[in-house]
Amino acid sequence: MLWNAPIHLFDEREAGMAESRPSYDPQALLNAQPVMVAVIDPASYTIQFQNETALEKLGDLSGRKCYETIAGCASPCAFCQMPEAVRTGKITVNDVVLPSDRHLLVQWSKAMTSDGRLHVIEVITDVTERKRTEEAARKAEKMEALGRLAGGVAHDISNLLTVLMGASEHISSHLVDRASLDPIQRMQSALERTAELTRRLVAFSHHQVLQPTVLDLNAALKDLVSHIASLATGRIEIEWRLHGEALPILFDALQFKHIISTLVSNAHDAMPTGGGLTISTGTATVGEDLAHEHNVQSGEFVLFSVQDTGGGIPAERLAHLFEPFYGRAGETMGRGLGLASVYGLIRQSGGFIQVASQYGVGTSFSVSLPRADPSLSTQGSMVPVVASSAVRETILLVEDDGDVRLAVSDMLKVAGYQVEEACDGVEALQRLRAMTSPPHLVMTDIMMPRMTGPQLAAQLQTLHPDVRVLYMSGYSDHMLHPQDGRRPAFIAKPFSSRELTRAIQGALAT
């Protein structure tokens, strides 16, 4: 509640009216206010009275200058609207940011005492937490908007790259003039780099196709000890501070490795002359306020942090650190989607990442993930890849984009597979019912009109439970969970013929 009117004291003419009204103690009313209230002499800026809230928050400032004690200024503050309140007799308001980064909403109102003396009532509301929450919400909205843009662009680029990669491979395999092979190979190399960039965009957009399993955070980190050591080379000492108990998380194991690799590589780059790298794990309870700030569900979380003793990050960069193509180390290095993809993967898994840095001292990245129920599932095993034997298997290809369907169909036929095609899940079911014998594999896009890939797979389980499914996608809201103890087969768009063949072999081998 804000004090929004000048103090008004009854005079003798109003005494009769006052007799019929309840009697209140003005000082008791002021002390009951949840905001800080001070009565100030506008001529000298001297504090003459504080309510209980102001005494608790600021201490006893009686007889002292308000600009010195509250704002830490040597003279009346530039933001002060008290002279205007005295001149106009109207309430004046200002939103004030103190050097300590506290946000205050300050109101001034003119008040006359019964003896004719002029005073100003200053009402202060500390809105620091509200401002912080609003800023976090604005940042989250901006990141979500960037994510939607990145995801939409990446979806279309993934399909186009699949077509281009298939066409370049087709041209390369039919070249008669071998002198033209070098530029084709350079084009294929550029396409592969573009494909990796597109996958990072998808990760940032929170639409990566994940295959989560229940992992013990400590065990997952221990499995990466040698990998982390290979990234933190030079005169860098690694210290491990792992929590004493199992810390279950529901996460994609490959993407967890990507997150750790990115954070450790960033720490290594921040310490070119050596330093200390600390990796720690722990638990935390995320309350409603923190959950609202990061747009997650409140509850029990597990966390891990990667802390370095490097040069730190300037404050002006911290607010933009997870945005695409915003380099940690400046314009000449660190540009790309490393931290942006980390941010997206963590958000997609229901967690959040925080960064704290002191310039010249070091930086700490802390990742919080929802604590998983260990009984949800066991860690899925990777799909084995075996050498191909007979390659006359029949594959039903289900893809709604005609150009992509043609490109992938050509890849499959060149590899020796017999191919049946369908434009979506509904047509695929019609073809399955019409086929005299079922295909060996159904290769389906995940996101399609009328019926999604997982919905098609569920129908397929009823019709032909022994037929394997290979999912493909470049952009999806779905998570692929283990089925019957098997990790679903998946290939990310865009892909090459070699990657496609390996994925098919793995799917057929399960």
Side-chain angles (χ1 to χ4, degrees):
M1 176 179 178
L2 298 179
W3 190 275
N4 56 11
I7 292 179
H8 180 75
L9 299 179
F10 295 127
D11 58 26
E12 293 179 356
R13 291 171 297 178
E14 297 174 304
M17 296 175 59
E19 290 177 358
S20 62
R21 298 175 182 172
S23 177
Y24 296 102
D25 180 357
Q27 187 162 329
L29 290 176
L30 287 174
N31 285 334
Q33 300 303 306
V35 295
M36 294 172 274
V37 180
V39 177
I40 299 173
D41 178 1
S44 62
Y45 292 86
T46 303
I47 297 173
Q48 298 178 320
F49 168 82
Q50 295 169 272
N51 71 342
E52 290 294 335
T53 304
L55 289 170
E56 291 174 4
K57 300 276 188 180
L58 305 173
D60 188 355
L61 307 179
S62 299
R64 301 172 64 183
K65 307 289 187 183
C66 61
Y67 54 80
E68 293 177 345
T69 54
I70 298 177
C73 299
S75 58
C77 307
F79 61 76
C80 183
Q81 299 291 318
M82 184 160 49
E84 173 127 356
V86 172
R87 182 178 62 81
T88 63
K90 298 180 179 179
I91 299 171
T92 56
V93 184
N94 207 349
D95 199 345
V96 176
V97 181
L98 298 182
S100 60
D101 203 28
R102 289 176 64 196
H103 289 258
L104 305 178
L105 180 64
V106 186
Q107 293 179 290
W108 297 268
S109 57
K110 180 179 177 181
M112 302 294 294
T113 57
S114 57
D115 59 2
R117 288 182 295 166
L118 174 63
H119 299 272
V120 168
I121 298 178
E122 184 175 79
V123 179
I124 303 174
T125 306
D126 193 332
V127 294
T128 303
E129 289 304 318
R130 190 186 77 191
K131 290 289 186 180
R132 186 175 292 124
T133 301
E134 290 174 351
E135 179 60 29
R138 281 193 294 269
K139 182 178 179 181
E141 289 175 359
K142 180 179 72 172
M143 296 295 277
E144 289 294 331
L146 284 173
R148 287 192 296 272
L149 174 63
V153 171
H155 173 264
D156 291 343
I157 292 178
S158 294
N159 284 338
L160 293 173
L161 284 174
T162 301
V163 175
L164 290 171
M165 292 173 77
S168 69
E169 289 180 352
H170 182 83
I171 294 171
S172 177
S173 64
H174 290 81
L175 272 179
V176 176
D177 180 13
R178 306 308 295 176
S180 301
L181 186 59
D182 283 346
I184 294 295
Q185 289 177 335
R186 289 196 298 271
M187 180 178 69
Q188 290 174 333
S189 177
L191 287 172
E192 289 173 0
R193 293 198 304 272
T194 307
E196 177 58 27
L197 178 65
T198 305
R199 294 186 186 105
R200 295 288 184 89
L201 274 175
V202 172
F204 168 70
S205 73
H206 314 173
H207 289 86
Q208 184 90 320
V209 177
L210 301 179
Q211 301 186 62
T213 55
V214 175
L215 306 173
D216 173 20
L217 179 59
N218 289 334
L221 285 170
K222 289 176 182 178
D223 288 342
L224 297 175
V225 167
S226 59
H227 175 67
I228 291 172
S230 69
L231 296 174
T233 56
R235 294 185 298 172
I236 295 178
E237 295 185 4
I238 303 176
E239 180 181 358
W240 294 85
R241 298 178 183 175
L242 302 185
H243 196 265
E245 64 180 48
L247 303 174
I249 57 174
L250 186 63
F251 212 84
D252 187 303
L254 294 178
Q255 301 303 343
F256 179 79
K257 181 179 180 181
H258 167 69
I259 290 172
I260 292 295
S261 300
T262 301
L263 295 181
V264 171
S265 296
N266 270 270
H268 171 267
D269 293 343
M271 299 182 289
T273 60
L277 175 65
T278 302
I279 299 175
S280 58
T281 62
T283 63
T285 300
V286 174
E288 293 293 340
D289 291 342
L290 187 60
H292 177 71
E293 181 178 338
H294 293 283
N295 194 25
V296 298
Q297 296 292 323
S298 60
E300 296 301 315
F301 278 64
V302 301
L303 56 89
F304 68 89
S305 64
V306 176
Q307 183 176 1
D308 65 63
T309 58
I313 305 172
E316 62 271 17
R317 290 186 176 274
L318 283 177
H320 306 281
L321 201 59
F322 298 110
E323 296 175 12
F325 303 104
Y326 195 93
R328 169 179 174 175
E331 296 301 323
T332 59
M333 61 183 295
R335 294 177 296 172
L337 287 160
L339 288 176
S341 64
V342 164
Y343 173 89
L345 289 169
I346 293 168
R347 295 286 299 132
Q348 188 174 351
S349 297
F352 58 94
I353 181 170
Q354 297 170 290
V355 57
S357 185
Q358 186 174 351
Y359 197 54
V361 176
T363 302
S364 176
F365 288 89
S366 179
V367 177
S368 298
L369 298 167
R371 190 183 187 101
D373 181 354
S375 65
L376 285 176
S377 67
T378 57
Q379 182 168 337
S381 58
M382 295 296 293
V383 174
V385 178
V386 297
S388 177
S389 52
V391 288
R392 296 304 297 175
E393 291 95 343
T394 300
I395 296 176
L396 175 58
L397 173 63
V398 190
E399 166 62 58
D400 61 298
D401 187 299
D403 290 336
V404 175
R405 189 169 64 250
L406 177 61
V408 177
S409 179
D410 286 344
M411 289 183 187
L412 293 172
K413 290 174 181 176
V414 169
Y417 296 102
Q418 294 182 355
V419 183
E420 297 286 338
E421 299 180 20
C423 67
D424 59 22
V426 174
E427 184 179 345
L429 286 176
Q430 294 172 350
R431 287 188 174 277
L432 284 167
R433 293 188 178 103
M435 294 172 72
T436 55
S437 59
H440 297 84
L441 178 76
V442 172
M443 182 176 179
T444 177
D445 194 16
I446 292 180
M447 300 297 293
M448 296 182 294
R450 298 204 293 179
M451 181 180 291
T452 67
Q455 290 171 337
L456 170 61
Q459 296 278 349
L460 179 65
Q461 184 69 21
T462 302
L463 290 173
H464 303 293
D466 294 331
V467 174
R468 298 290 180 255
V469 176
L470 172 62
Y471 293 106
M472 60 178 173
S473 183
Y475 175 92
S476 175
D477 289 318
H478 285 77
M479 288 191 177
L480 300 178
H481 297 278
Q483 298 174 342
D484 300 327
R486 296 196 306 262
R487 184 172 184 170
F490 171 76
I491 184 170
K493 296 178 184 176
F495 46 76
S496 64
S497 294
R498 182 179 64 257
E499 293 168 331
L500 176 59
T501 302
R502 285 174 59 86
I504 292 173
Q505 292 172 5
L508 292 173
T510 58

